[in-house]
Amino acid sequence: MTSVDDAARRAEGALRYSLVLPIFNEEAVLPLLLARIDALMDALDGPAEAIFVDDGSRDTSGLFLRLKARQDPRYRYIGLSRNFGHQIAITAGMDAAEGEAVIVMDADLQDPPEIVLDMVAKWAEGYDVVYARRRERHGESRFKRWTADAFYRLLARFADVDIPRNVGDFRLVDRKVVEAFRGMPEQDRFVRGMFAWLGFRQTAVEFERAPREAGATKYTLRRMTRLAANALIGFSDAPLKLVVVTGFTVSLLAGLYGAYVVARWLAGAELVTGWASTILIVALLGGGNMLMTGIVGLYVGRIHAEVKRRPLYVVAAREGFAHAAATREADAPPLQRAG
Ligand code: UDP
Ligand code: MG
């Protein structure tokens, strides 16, 4: 975008802030959330929109938010056609965001909306990405804290880019970084790693992570494992290095043992009972081989997923985007009936 366009947008009172909130079965917290978001948008120093991405909720969240978007022009609703997962829901929201600064936050009020004002202050100082670092985690199980801690340690040790510790997806991102983010089509998304990769001028604000206001966590052990795998495989080649080292070690041991056997044979020793050693070697090599094939398979699987070039998500319904939709329809007929 040229600076002339930029100036024109500002002149016509274009949006300054877009809030992006992924929603998966959050009906319990929604009334409280909307009150806090309203207050936040009033407190912000420019026009703001709130984009709610309904990630295939099976409760009344979708209905509630659609209605809200119909009534309040600052609210937008995007309903994905099924549950695509937190990271993809964030992406869908960022794709739709039109503000000069885009703020991603969780819906359960674990990311306190008031912190956004601190982020905005940093943005005004000239930072392009302002992420929120958790100083303390309240109301989360010891298991969650322990696994989260181990995960961030592992990541710090092995990832190719510096992914800040104790930082989730709560962050403010400048328009130009959002545009760069849109150019990253990868399927297995680990959004905080992607922002670390993108660079630009980044800084942090600190906050206390409050307990969930209502409802239960949507991150099951399975979802957490998948996120961790995406992070490690997407942002490090440590698993591949492990394979090489393991393969090398196993082969070396087998070679040494072979040399020992040959030496004994040359020395004229009785070598009839080789059963145990044969089994041992076969097992060792078989095990190493399986491990290697498995890990290489992980990467091949990724390549397979990427080359399919599927869209990241499918939108089933939209609400509150009337103006944007109208201008687009004037240019070209819509491909799909509006939901
Ligand atoms: N979420 C989502 N899709 C999912 C899982 C979670 O959009 O498949 C949303 C959820 O509604 C919440 C945010 O992602 O707004 C973070 O989820 P949660 O609070 O359950 O995670 P935790 O804070 O326990 O890590
Ligand atoms: Mg939460």
Side-chain angles (χ1 to χ4, degrees):
M1 177 161 298
T2 67
S3 55
V4 179
D5 286 340
D6 266 352
R9 282 166 67 123
R10 261 192 285 277
E12 75 188 24
L15 276 172
R16 190 167 309 155
Y17 301 107
S18 298
L19 306 172
V20 169
L21 296 102
I23 304 285
F24 182 53
N25 297 341
E26 299 286 6
E27 63 183 1
V29 78
L30 281 182
L32 196 59
L33 174 70
L34 294 196
R36 297 272 289 272
I37 293 297
D38 270 333
L40 171 63
M41 287 202 284
D42 291 341
L44 285 169
D45 61 346
E49 63 176 352
I51 302 173
F52 289 83
V53 183
D54 175 9
D55 187 16
S57 295
R58 285 179 279 272
D59 63 2
T60 60
S61 303
L63 210 65
F64 189 95
L65 289 167
R66 250 187 118 155
L67 207 67
K68 181 72 186 174
R70 203 168 288 179
Q71 291 161 351
D72 186 331
R74 297 190 296 184
Y75 281 77
R76 320 253 184 272
Y77 170 83
I78 298 175
L80 300 186
S81 59
R82 64 171 171 83
N83 179 246
F84 281 88
H86 181 207
Q87 304 288 299
I88 302 241
I90 291 175
T91 306
M94 293 190 62
D95 284 348
E98 295 189 335
E100 294 300 319
V102 178
I103 299 123
V104 176
M105 55 198 296
D106 282 358
D108 56 3
L109 294 170
Q110 281 195 293
D111 301 338
E114 298 70 38
I115 301 296
V116 172
L117 299 175
D118 297 347
M119 294 177 163
V120 165
K122 291 279 182 197
W123 181 55
E125 281 176 28
Y127 288 101
D128 299 313
V129 177
V130 186
Y131 50 84
R133 182 185 284 125
R134 304 160 183 156
R135 209 180 297 128
E136 205 84 57
R137 283 168 170 261
H138 297 287
E140 288 177 310
S141 68
R142 189 176 302 171
F143 177 73
K144 173 104 187 186
R145 276 185 298 193
W146 187 81
T147 47
D149 196 54
F151 168 64
Y152 286 115
R153 265 172 213 279
L154 207 65
L155 214 60
R157 173 90 174 67
F158 290 115
D160 305 329
V161 289
D162 240 346
I163 300 173
R165 273 186 74 181
N166 286 323
V167 168
D169 291 307
F170 186 20
R171 63 165 59 68
L172 178 150
V173 183
D174 185 81
R175 171 94 263 152
K176 60 173 172 287
V177 188
V178 174
E179 298 299 339
F181 180 79
R182 284 180 188 168
M184 297 176 86
E186 58 213 74
Q187 297 275 332
D188 290 303
R189 296 174 90 77
F190 181 60
V191 171
R192 51 202 99 146
M194 293 165 70
F195 278 111
W197 184 89
L198 276 167
F200 292 94
R201 275 161 52 87
Q202 308 212 359
T203 190
V205 295
E206 306 239 315
F207 77 111
E208 310 264 330
R209 186 142 220 238
R212 246 179 182 277
E213 282 294 343
T217 177
K218 308 299 179 291
Y219 260 94
T220 55
L221 186 60
R222 207 171 121 229
R223 280 177 205 271
M224 285 201 287
T225 312
R226 199 188 300 160
L227 186 77
N230 279 347
L232 280 175
I233 297 176
F235 286 93
S236 101
D237 52 5
L240 277 180
K241 285 185 189 138
L242 182 74
V243 171
V244 175
V245 172
T246 312
F248 182 76
T249 312
V250 169
S251 311
L252 189 73
L253 288 177
L256 285 177
Y257 188 71
Y260 165 75
V261 171
V262 170
R264 294 236 356 217
W265 176 70
L266 287 176
E270 276 288 334
L271 287 175
V272 196
T273 52
W275 186 81
S277 53
T278 308
I279 291 295
L280 184 76
I281 289 177
V282 167
L284 271 179
L285 291 182
N289 230 323
M290 254 194 290
L291 180 71
M292 281 176 250
T293 317
I295 296 185
V296 171
L298 286 178
Y299 286 85
V300 176
R302 295 288 151 128
I303 294 167
H304 181 62
E306 297 292 340
V307 296
K308 277 188 289 199
R309 285 266 159 263
R310 280 195 191 147
L312 284 178
Y313 53 86
V314 178
V315 173
R318 289 174 146 246
E319 199 74 61
F321 291 91
H323 172 68
T327 49
R328 224 174 294 125
E329 273 163 35
D331 298 338
L335 292 173
Q336 267 179 307
R337 205 156 38 83

